[in-house]
Amino acid sequence: MALVDGQQATKDKYGIIQGNGGAVDKIAGDSGNDMLQGQAAFNQYYGGEGNDTFKLVAKFANSAGAHQGQSLAYEDQFAYITDFQGAGVAGGDFVNFTGFNGSTLKLTHTGATNSSGTLYYYSVEDNAGTVFNFIINSVNNKALEKGDFGFY
């Protein structure tokens, strides 16, 4: 069962589990291959089983404002993906950067590794020089690799 902020959610007509906006969206997929899109100032994603797509959208990151400028502080992140299962795995999870055309992705810090994975801190810099931060907990302890993400 898909959830948004603890409440049962259904996929929209495009097959996306949409957050509802506000200060925080906590979005959880079900056992299938889900696409999850947050619409809040901070979005927390949990894909669950399946090959999931985590859609990070520039207009929502821009609306937050506070997340601009490279930082490792949790409050300066615009997204946290709690269970990424990609990192070079064929058919694994995927990060879709929508509206970040011409942007660059940079690994800024490798955090703790424990039984639930390794934390990787990233920044995305757009054409205007604005920097957005997000965190991925990689359950296979690998950083993002080519094929794990794309800019659209």
Side-chain angles (χ1 to χ4, degrees):
M1 169 178 21
L3 301 172
V4 174
D5 296 334
Q7 302 297 313
Q8 187 172 354
T10 57
K11 296 176 181 177
D12 67 11
K13 66 181 181 179
Y14 304 106
I16 301 171
I17 301 167
Q18 297 276 355
N20 52 20
V24 177
D25 273 344
K26 292 182 179 182
I27 308 166
D30 56 26
S31 61
N33 299 336
D34 301 308
M35 180 175 285
L36 299 94
Q37 177 177 303
Q39 298 184 19
F42 176 75
N43 301 291
Q44 184 172 356
Y45 299 92
Y46 180 80
E49 296 178 24
N51 300 323
D52 302 308
T53 299
F54 304 96
K55 195 168 180 183
L56 307 182
V57 182
K59 71 179 180 180
F60 300 122
N62 261 321
S63 68
H67 307 308
Q68 297 175 8
Q70 188 171 315
S71 172
L72 299 179
Y74 191 76
E75 60 271 11
D76 291 336
Q77 311 302 309
F78 80 92
Y80 175 45
I81 299 171
T82 62
D83 71 330
F84 192 80
Q85 300 176 28
V89 177
D93 292 342
F94 186 79
V95 181
N96 172 321
F97 294 100
T98 298
F100 289 96
N101 297 336
S103 296
T104 57
L105 177 68
K106 179 180 177 185
L107 173 63
T108 58
H109 180 73
T110 302
T113 297
N114 58 39
S115 61
S116 65
T118 301
L119 292 178
Y120 291 97
Y121 294 74
Y122 294 92
S123 65
V124 175
E125 184 172 349
D126 67 14
N127 286 334
T130 305
V131 176
F132 304 99
N133 310 293
F134 67 98
I135 304 170
I136 290 182
N137 181 49
S138 173
V139 297
N140 65 357
N141 302 315
K142 294 182 180 179
L144 291 176
E145 297 178 4
K146 186 177 180 179
D148 290 335
F149 64 93
F151 291 96
Y152 304 95

